[in-house]
mmCIF file of all heavy atoms in Angstrom:
data_model
loop_
_atom_site.group_PDB
_atom_site.id
_atom_site.type_symbol
_atom_site.label_atom_id
_atom_site.label_comp_id
_atom_site.label_asym_id
_atom_site.label_seq_id
_atom_site.Cartn_x
_atom_site.Cartn_y
_atom_site.Cartn_z
ATOM 1 N N TYR T 187 9.001 13.412 -1.455
ATOM 2 C CA TYR T 187 10.054 12.432 -1.740
ATOM 3 C C TYR T 187 9.892 11.259 -0.791
ATOM 4 O O TYR T 187 10.389 11.285 0.327
ATOM 5 C CB TYR T 187 11.451 13.062 -1.633
ATOM 6 C CG TYR T 187 12.538 12.134 -2.112
ATOM 7 C CD1 TYR T 187 12.784 11.970 -3.481
ATOM 8 C CD2 TYR T 187 13.277 11.378 -1.214
ATOM 9 C CE1 TYR T 187 13.754 11.088 -3.929
ATOM 10 C CE2 TYR T 187 14.254 10.488 -1.661
ATOM 11 C CZ TYR T 187 14.488 10.349 -3.016
ATOM 12 O OH TYR T 187 15.441 9.474 -3.455
ATOM 13 N N PHE T 188 9.172 10.255 -1.247
ATOM 14 C CA PHE T 188 8.950 9.057 -0.435
ATOM 15 C C PHE T 188 9.853 7.962 -0.974
ATOM 16 O O PHE T 188 9.464 7.151 -1.810
ATOM 17 C CB PHE T 188 7.478 8.632 -0.515
ATOM 18 C CG PHE T 188 7.136 7.472 0.394
ATOM 19 C CD1 PHE T 188 6.672 7.699 1.682
ATOM 20 C CD2 PHE T 188 7.268 6.154 -0.031
ATOM 21 C CE1 PHE T 188 6.356 6.643 2.530
ATOM 22 C CE2 PHE T 188 6.946 5.095 0.812
ATOM 23 C CZ PHE T 188 6.493 5.339 2.088
ATOM 24 N N LYS T 457 1.201 -18.520 -9.482
ATOM 25 C CA LYS T 457 1.460 -17.152 -9.949
ATOM 26 C C LYS T 457 0.644 -16.127 -9.165
ATOM 27 O O LYS T 457 1.144 -15.087 -8.743
ATOM 28 C CB LYS T 457 1.108 -17.031 -11.444
ATOM 29 C CG LYS T 457 2.149 -17.658 -12.338
ATOM 30 C CD LYS T 457 1.614 -17.938 -13.725
ATOM 31 C CE LYS T 457 1.582 -16.706 -14.595
ATOM 32 N NZ LYS T 457 1.351 -17.101 -16.014
ATOM 33 N N HIS T 458 -0.615 -16.436 -8.988
ATOM 34 C CA HIS T 458 -1.480 -15.469 -8.303
ATOM 35 C C HIS T 458 -1.109 -15.330 -6.837
ATOM 36 O O HIS T 458 -1.125 -14.223 -6.283
ATOM 37 C CB HIS T 458 -2.944 -15.884 -8.471
ATOM 38 C CG HIS T 458 -3.481 -15.551 -9.829
ATOM 39 N ND1 HIS T 458 -4.813 -15.526 -10.130
ATOM 40 C CD2 HIS T 458 -2.839 -15.195 -10.977
ATOM 41 C CE1 HIS T 458 -4.976 -15.189 -11.414
ATOM 42 N NE2 HIS T 458 -3.801 -14.997 -11.930
ATOM 43 N N ASP T 462 0.146 -11.790 -5.269
ATOM 44 C CA ASP T 462 -0.445 -11.178 -4.066
ATOM 45 C C ASP T 462 0.616 -10.962 -2.992
ATOM 46 O O ASP T 462 0.618 -9.942 -2.296
ATOM 47 C CB ASP T 462 -1.560 -12.068 -3.504
ATOM 48 C CG ASP T 462 -2.870 -11.867 -4.262
ATOM 49 O OD1 ASP T 462 -3.038 -10.809 -4.907
ATOM 50 O OD2 ASP T 462 -3.731 -12.758 -4.207
ATOM 51 N N ASP T 487 0.890 11.038 13.331
ATOM 52 C CA ASP T 487 0.349 9.685 13.249
ATOM 53 C C ASP T 487 1.421 8.616 13.455
ATOM 54 O O ASP T 487 1.254 7.472 13.019
ATOM 55 C CB ASP T 487 -0.378 9.477 11.919
ATOM 56 C CG ASP T 487 0.564 9.541 10.712
ATOM 57 O OD1 ASP T 487 1.679 10.075 10.874
ATOM 58 O OD2 ASP T 487 0.189 9.047 9.631
ATOM 59 N N ASP T 547 -5.107 -4.092 18.029
ATOM 60 C CA ASP T 547 -5.859 -3.461 19.123
ATOM 61 C C ASP T 547 -5.483 -1.985 19.264
ATOM 62 O O ASP T 547 -6.335 -1.135 19.543
ATOM 63 C CB ASP T 547 -5.602 -4.201 20.441
ATOM 64 C CG ASP T 547 -6.333 -5.541 20.480
ATOM 65 O OD1 ASP T 547 -7.254 -5.746 19.657
ATOM 66 O OD2 ASP T 547 -5.984 -6.391 21.324
ATOM 67 N N SER T 553 -8.265 4.486 16.090
ATOM 68 C CA SER T 553 -9.159 4.881 14.994
ATOM 69 C C SER T 553 -10.646 4.728 15.331
ATOM 70 O O SER T 553 -11.490 5.292 14.647
ATOM 71 C CB SER T 553 -8.845 4.074 13.730
ATOM 72 O OG SER T 553 -9.119 2.704 13.931
ATOM 73 N N ILE T 554 -10.951 3.944 16.351
ATOM 74 C CA ILE T 554 -12.365 3.744 16.692
ATOM 75 C C ILE T 554 -12.758 4.543 17.930
ATOM 76 O O ILE T 554 -13.830 5.141 17.990
ATOM 77 C CB ILE T 554 -12.657 2.237 16.917
ATOM 78 C CG1 ILE T 554 -12.368 1.451 15.635
ATOM 79 C CG2 ILE T 554 -14.108 2.028 17.363
ATOM 80 C CD1 ILE T 554 -12.485 -0.051 15.783
ATOM 81 N N ASP T 555 -11.856 4.552 18.907
ATOM 82 C CA ASP T 555 -12.210 5.207 20.171
ATOM 83 C C ASP T 555 -11.863 6.692 20.163
ATOM 84 O O ASP T 555 -12.363 7.448 20.979
ATOM 85 C CB ASP T 555 -11.492 4.518 21.337
ATOM 86 C CG ASP T 555 -11.796 3.022 21.341
ATOM 87 O OD1 ASP T 555 -12.879 2.643 20.850
ATOM 88 O OD2 ASP T 555 -10.951 2.245 21.805
ATOM 89 N N ASP D 180 10.794 13.288 2.348
ATOM 90 C CA ASP D 180 10.199 14.609 2.528
ATOM 91 C C ASP D 180 8.769 14.497 2.034
ATOM 92 O O ASP D 180 8.517 14.435 0.836
ATOM 93 C CB ASP D 180 10.975 15.662 1.717
ATOM 94 C CG ASP D 180 10.281 17.012 1.770
ATOM 95 O OD1 ASP D 180 9.312 17.160 2.569
ATOM 96 O OD2 ASP D 180 10.690 17.923 1.027
ATOM 97 N N TYR D 442 -14.439 4.306 6.070
ATOM 98 C CA TYR D 442 -14.060 3.636 7.320
ATOM 99 C C TYR D 442 -14.660 4.372 8.514
ATOM 100 O O TYR D 442 -15.280 3.775 9.393
ATOM 101 C CB TYR D 442 -12.528 3.604 7.424
ATOM 102 C CG TYR D 442 -11.984 2.965 8.685
ATOM 103 C CD1 TYR D 442 -11.719 1.600 8.729
ATOM 104 C CD2 TYR D 442 -11.712 3.720 9.839
ATOM 105 C CE1 TYR D 442 -11.203 0.994 9.876
ATOM 106 C CE2 TYR D 442 -11.199 3.132 10.983
ATOM 107 C CZ TYR D 442 -10.944 1.765 10.998
ATOM 108 O OH TYR D 442 -10.443 1.179 12.145
ATOM 109 N N ARG D 450 -20.872 2.373 16.170
ATOM 110 C CA ARG D 450 -21.011 3.013 17.485
ATOM 111 C C ARG D 450 -22.484 3.251 17.792
ATOM 112 O O ARG D 450 -22.947 2.981 18.903
ATOM 113 C CB ARG D 450 -20.210 4.320 17.479
ATOM 114 C CG ARG D 450 -19.866 4.828 18.861
ATOM 115 C CD ARG D 450 -18.985 6.063 18.800
ATOM 116 N NE ARG D 450 -17.666 5.784 18.275
ATOM 117 C CZ ARG D 450 -17.032 6.531 17.379
ATOM 118 N NH1 ARG D 450 -17.610 7.613 16.885
ATOM 119 N NH2 ARG D 450 -15.823 6.208 16.948
ATOM 120 N N ARG D 461 -13.366 -5.292 16.044
ATOM 121 C CA ARG D 461 -12.385 -4.202 16.141
ATOM 122 C C ARG D 461 -11.102 -4.596 15.416
ATOM 123 O O ARG D 461 -10.513 -3.800 14.688
ATOM 124 C CB ARG D 461 -12.092 -3.868 17.598
ATOM 125 C CG ARG D 461 -13.211 -3.097 18.284
ATOM 126 C CD ARG D 461 -12.996 -3.057 19.796
ATOM 127 N NE ARG D 461 -11.812 -2.276 20.177
ATOM 128 C CZ ARG D 461 -11.817 -0.965 20.375
ATOM 129 N NH1 ARG D 461 -12.946 -0.282 20.238
ATOM 130 N NH2 ARG D 461 -10.723 -0.334 20.734
ATOM 131 N N ARG D 462 -10.679 -5.838 15.632
ATOM 132 C CA ARG D 462 -9.453 -6.277 14.957
ATOM 133 C C ARG D 462 -9.654 -6.366 13.456
ATOM 134 O O ARG D 462 -8.746 -6.049 12.684
ATOM 135 C CB ARG D 462 -9.004 -7.625 15.510
ATOM 136 C CG ARG D 462 -8.343 -7.462 16.861
ATOM 137 C CD ARG D 462 -7.664 -8.718 17.317
ATOM 138 N NE ARG D 462 -7.003 -8.461 18.598
ATOM 139 C CZ ARG D 462 -6.320 -9.375 19.277
ATOM 140 N NH1 ARG D 462 -6.220 -10.608 18.810
ATOM 141 N NH2 ARG D 462 -5.749 -9.047 20.420
ATOM 142 N N ARG D 475 -2.109 4.608 1.185
ATOM 143 C CA ARG D 475 -1.661 6.006 1.267
ATOM 144 C C ARG D 475 -0.141 6.103 1.104
ATOM 145 O O ARG D 475 0.368 6.942 0.356
ATOM 146 C CB ARG D 475 -2.090 6.603 2.614
ATOM 147 C CG ARG D 475 -1.790 8.077 2.779
ATOM 148 C CD ARG D 475 -2.533 8.656 3.969
ATOM 149 N NE ARG D 475 -2.020 8.194 5.239
ATOM 150 C CZ ARG D 475 -1.079 8.840 5.930
ATOM 151 N NH1 ARG D 475 -0.568 9.967 5.470
ATOM 152 N NH2 ARG D 475 -0.656 8.362 7.083
ATOM 153 N N THR D 483 6.128 10.064 -5.977
ATOM 154 C CA THR D 483 7.576 10.306 -6.049
ATOM 155 C C THR D 483 8.137 9.802 -7.373
ATOM 156 O O THR D 483 8.918 10.492 -8.035
ATOM 157 C CB THR D 483 8.287 9.595 -4.874
ATOM 158 O OG1 THR D 483 7.719 10.059 -3.650
ATOM 159 C CG2 THR D 483 9.774 9.877 -4.883
ATOM 160 N N ARG D 556 -3.203 -9.868 -11.494
ATOM 161 C CA ARG D 556 -2.246 -10.825 -10.894
ATOM 162 C C ARG D 556 -1.413 -11.504 -11.971
ATOM 163 O O ARG D 556 -0.220 -11.758 -11.767
ATOM 164 C CB ARG D 556 -2.999 -11.861 -10.054
ATOM 165 C CG ARG D 556 -3.569 -11.283 -8.780
ATOM 166 C CD ARG D 556 -4.217 -12.336 -7.874
ATOM 167 N NE ARG D 556 -4.829 -11.659 -6.753
ATOM 168 C CZ ARG D 556 -6.149 -11.540 -6.559
ATOM 169 N NH1 ARG D 556 -7.007 -12.133 -7.382
ATOM 170 N NH2 ARG D 556 -6.608 -10.870 -5.534
ATOM 171 N N ASN D 557 -2.038 -11.798 -13.100
ATOM 172 C CA ASN D 557 -1.258 -12.361 -14.214
ATOM 173 C C ASN D 557 -0.161 -11.387 -14.616
ATOM 174 O O ASN D 557 0.981 -11.775 -14.844
ATOM 175 C CB ASN D 557 -2.159 -12.626 -15.427
ATOM 176 C CG ASN D 557 -3.056 -13.836 -15.229
ATOM 177 O OD1 ASN D 557 -2.824 -14.661 -14.349
ATOM 178 N ND2 ASN D 557 -4.092 -13.941 -16.048
ATOM 179 N N GLU D 561 3.780 -12.185 -14.321
ATOM 180 C CA GLU D 561 4.581 -12.369 -15.538
ATOM 181 C C GLU D 561 5.533 -11.203 -15.785
ATOM 182 O O GLU D 561 6.703 -11.413 -16.089
ATOM 183 C CB GLU D 561 3.649 -12.554 -16.749
ATOM 184 C CG GLU D 561 2.982 -13.926 -16.725
ATOM 185 C CD GLU D 561 1.753 -14.017 -17.624
ATOM 186 O OE1 GLU D 561 1.585 -13.143 -18.501
ATOM 187 O OE2 GLU D 561 0.964 -14.972 -17.434
#
Side-chain angles (χ1 to χ4, degrees):
Chain T
Y187 188 79
F188 185 92
K457 284 162 79 167
H458 283 196
D462 279 339
D487 66 342
D547 286 344
S553 65
I554 299 174
D555 305 332
Chain D
D180 174 9
Y442 179 90
R450 200 176 293 136
R461 285 168 67 87
R462 283 191 178 179
R475 185 166 70 92
T483 303
R556 289 185 185 110
N557 286 343
E561 287 162 17

